[in-house]
Amino acid sequence: MDKSRLKTLFLLHIMLMIYSMSGICSKLASGEAFLSFRFCFYYAIIILLLGFYAIGWQQIIKRLPLTTAFANKAVTVIWGIIWGTVFFHEKVTVGKVIGAILVIVGVIIYANADGKVEDE
């Protein structure tokens, strides 16, 4: 894998982490009174995060095949587990760990298959 592709994949995963942060704000907003200041504040952050993500996503798909970018999007499941643990003190269960491992293995298998197709 060349350096520029590795850099693009790294940036993709940073963008996916930012995308997953909108879920934190969504959960925080759900605990607030509708249209209260905090509710609106959390939704403003969601809009900013998703706007930043949308611009970054467009830049990523210029440089990667769309199928590769979408396959990596599954990694947001792992970020959801991390954010749930860090911000909401949710338990990490064996089922969640197994699911996260399956997601990672699937992305790795797809990434390796994608590289083999390009080499042929």
Side-chain angles (χ1 to χ4, degrees):
M1 184 177 298
D2 67 355
K3 230 178 191 181
S4 68
R5 183 172 168 95
L6 195 59
K7 180 182 172 185
T8 303
L9 283 171
F10 179 74
L11 291 173
L12 170 63
H13 284 269
I14 295 296
M15 295 308 302
L16 293 173
M17 179 187 72
I18 290 168
Y19 172 74
S20 70
M21 292 171 123
S22 67
I24 298 168
C25 294
S26 294
K27 187 163 183 171
L28 291 171
S30 71
E32 301 297 329
F34 183 63
L35 294 181
S36 67
F37 175 78
R38 289 177 70 149
F39 178 89
C40 293
F41 176 74
Y42 290 133
Y43 269 91
I45 293 173
I46 292 168
I47 291 168
L48 287 173
L49 288 170
L50 292 178
F52 183 75
Y53 166 75
I55 292 167
W57 177 256
Q58 295 302 315
Q59 297 306 309
I60 294 295
I61 61 174
K62 279 185 194 178
R63 293 164 177 82
L64 283 177
L66 189 58
T67 54
T68 301
F70 267 106
N72 279 272
K73 208 168 180 185
V75 174
T76 57
V77 170
I78 296 163
W79 282 112
I81 294 170
I82 293 169
W83 298 143
T85 302
V86 171
F87 291 102
F88 304 109
H89 310 291
E90 296 174 355
K91 289 188 172 198
V92 178
T93 63
V94 173
K96 287 180 185 177
V97 171
I98 291 170
I101 290 169
L102 288 172
V103 167
I104 292 169
V105 168
V107 169
I108 290 170
I109 288 170
Y110 182 82
N112 286 335
D114 188 39
K116 289 177 185 172
V117 171
E118 289 176 9
D119 293 341
E120 292 178 3

